[in-house]
Amino acid sequence: MTERPVDLSQLPSNGAPRRSLFSARKFALMASVVAGLGAAVYGFSPQQGPVDVFTSAAHAQVNQEVRKVERPIGFADIVERVKPSVISVKINIADKSSKDDSANKDEDSPFPPGSPMERFFRRFGGPDGLPPGLRGGPRGGRGPVTGQGSGFFISPDGFAVTNNHVVDGADKVEVTMDDGKTYTAKVIGTDQRTDLALIKVAGRTDFPFAKLSDSKPRIGDWVLAVGNPFGLGGTVTAGIVSASGRDIGNGPYDDFIQIDAPVNKGNSGGPAFDTNGEVMGVNTAIYSPSGGSVGIAFSIPASTVKNVIAQLKDKGSVSRGWIGVQIQPVTSDIADSLGMKKAEGALVAEPQANGPAAKAGIQSGDVITAVNGEPVKDARELARTIGGLAPGAAVKLNVLQKGQDKVINLTLGQLPNTIEANKADTDKEDKGGLTKGTGVPKLGLTVAPANSVAGAGKDGVVVTEVDPKSAAAERGFKEGDVILEVAGKSVATAGEVREAIDAARTDNKNSVLMRVKSGGSSRFVAVPLAKG
């Protein structure tokens, strides 16, 4: 027997196929859902019929409650106020190829080979300014070059801030305002270490200008980036502060604000505004494997900008305090070997001869823990703190020296513009033939007295062989390194190295601290001690 479709209108109330009854129930349920939707939208009154809830008293009450809820912030009012202070910066560099045809430089990088910004450019795909947005000149650097960046006025008489790498080497600088007016600018001063530059536009005293913020931004704060990406002047993007205190390998003064507001090539030198319309930072670099914004950009904090720009305006250059030490971070292994409870402060690898620190009695292995009573978190913070002080200033350093807390007073010198290379420390291919040496099995090293190896000097022991599977190899030891001290004691033979290690084990140390000279500089290395 073939089952035929059932007409629900003809079903008897007291009997029907079970399957068809289920279908009827399902139909009724669906009908009730539809009716419910209709009631939700219109409402229903048995006396008055359908009621439009959108005009009902209930809807009016809901509307009132919605109005009370805080709505998302718009940035139009802020942008309208600050945008006129932002400028596009265009530079021209004349053809200099005839003066230096021998230099084989990447045409996309205006930075000196080996400079911090050049290394950052090659590592991260380029800071967001001129490179690789340079235009003009065929491959090899022949012909004039033009480039574009951003900046902003900081005073009504025409002083403006931009990046050093935007105007570095420029023969002509032009700025274009938001209203389209163009002016010629003069470079007042630059600072390569922080990548900041001060320029000046003459002829007016009523330029719209921005204020540098006095407060430190918090992670999660709104940020507005305004600039000239890809030559599109007056572009505004928004995001938040993603992180602070970033070190991007540019130098010892790295203290960047990380933001996720889209920043691209040409934004370099432009401001990052907070919601008060004040400049929290100057955009200087991006992380960009693709060449465009991926949501990671870096800004120089307003506090740094204030200090640097004030000096550039006053004398056209920046002078920084200097104590004359090579420093390195205090790792957990180093802290353990020194008996410190926390891995903090800056470890002095070596005081420079005749520098303020050496004259004041600071020694290799000392840990600087505070400057003028303010705790020092790490080596970078010490460099920034000292660099922010004026040469000639008197400072008080808290130092951990041979397990004892000391206070050392000294007068800051001036940070040299260049660091002279030590001829005795240049890399030597000929070590005079490394001797076989004596093994130190507990470290995986073979060493020989330095005075027995030509070119190694008279102090310490020379590493002649490294077990590739040893802890020493993991810590970066290599042939030719000179071990000067072990556990704070000078060593001259393999026997003295072993004695110092045994003493550290007797004291229940998990690692032993060594001062190692390698490639012209000294450093401390904490090597774990093998058990047994």
Side-chain angles (χ1 to χ4, degrees), residues 378-390:
D378 53 30
R380 286 198 305 123
E381 186 170 68
L382 175 65
R384 289 197 304 268
T385 301
I386 296 298
L389 298 174

Side-chain angles (χ1 to χ4, degrees), residues 114-117 119-120 191-195 245-256 300-301 304 308 320-323 325-329 346 352 376-388 415-417 419:
S115 68
M117 290 306 293
R119 292 196 300 272
F120 182 86
D191 181 48
Q192 184 179 6
R193 285 185 169 95
T194 55
D195 195 27
R246 287 297 197 208
D247 177 6
I248 62 175
N250 183 44
Y253 306 105
D254 282 12
D255 186 28
F256 292 102
I300 306 164
T304 301
V308 171
R320 293 180 170 86
W322 175 70
I323 59 176
V325 290
Q326 293 181 17
I327 55 175
Q328 66 181 83
Q352 298 178 23
V376 171
K377 180 181 178 182
D378 53 30
R380 286 198 305 123
E381 186 170 68
L382 175 65
R384 289 197 304 268
T385 301
I386 296 298
L415 180 69
N417 290 327
I419 299 176

